[in-house]
């Protein structure tokens, strides 16, 4: 069982930056593939970025060059650095952990104003 808690969301102006954090309850965190998803009102949840236990990363085309996912296994935490934010980045951002099962956090709201 893994419990995930997201933090770092908020309100920013277009062009600004935010850094999201996701803290896991398990000390075997390093074994999990971690990812960030987001969902805007009336839209499907979409994958934003992922990182394997080996450090390989993957990004949605819409965020390439602007977002960076990273992990600190000693702190059981995964991060999402978001730069050059656009209004279309607005949504609830969810942390996901995957191994033999899938685990989700409750989400953190990101709002980008024009």
């Amino acid at each position: 069982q893994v419990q995930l808690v997201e933090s770092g969301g908020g309100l920013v102006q277009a062009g600004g930056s935010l850094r999201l954090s996701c803290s896991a309850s398990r000390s075997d965190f390093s074994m999990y593939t971690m990812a960030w998803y987001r969902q805007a009102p009336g839209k499907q949840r979409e994958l934003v970025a992922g990182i394997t236990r080996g450090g390989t990363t993957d990004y949605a085309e819409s965020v390439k060059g602007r977002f960076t996912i990273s992990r600190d296994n000693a702190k059981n935490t995964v991060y999402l650095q978001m730069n050059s934010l656009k209004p279309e980045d607005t949504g609830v951002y969810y942390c996901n952990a995957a191994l033999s099962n899938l685990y989700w956090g409750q989400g953190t709201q990101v709002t980008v104003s024009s």
Side-chain angles (χ1 to χ4, degrees):
Q1 300 294 320
V2 180
Q3 290 184 307
L4 305 171
V5 180
E6 301 97 334
S7 63
L11 174 64
V12 298
Q13 296 186 54
S17 298
L18 284 174
R19 190 191 192 198
L20 306 183
S21 298
C22 173
S23 297
S25 62
R26 297 271 300 198
S27 60
D28 59 353
F29 167 83
S30 63
M31 298 183 181
Y32 288 80
T33 293
M34 303 296 298
W36 287 96
Y37 289 76
R38 69 186 178 190
Q39 187 167 21
K43 303 295 183 181
Q44 292 290 320
R45 182 178 59 188
E46 64 175 347
L47 174 67
V48 176
I51 184 167
T52 69
R53 59 188 180 186
T56 300
T57 58
D58 186 45
Y59 298 93
E61 188 67 30
S62 61
V63 307
K64 285 182 178 178
R66 300 188 297 120
F67 291 10
T68 302
I69 187 171
S70 62
R71 66 194 298 163
D72 186 339
N73 291 335
K75 296 181 178 180
N76 294 347
T77 301
V78 64
Y79 305 96
L80 185 67
Q81 179 66 47
M82 305 185 293
N83 299 324
S84 302
L85 283 162
K86 305 174 180 179
E88 50 263 45
D89 293 319
T90 294
V92 178
Y93 284 68
Y94 297 93
C95 182
N96 168 267
L99 190 57
S100 58
N101 296 105
L102 298 177
Y103 302 92
W104 294 93
Q106 293 300 306
T108 185
Q109 177 70 44
V110 171
T111 303
V112 185
S113 62
S114 299

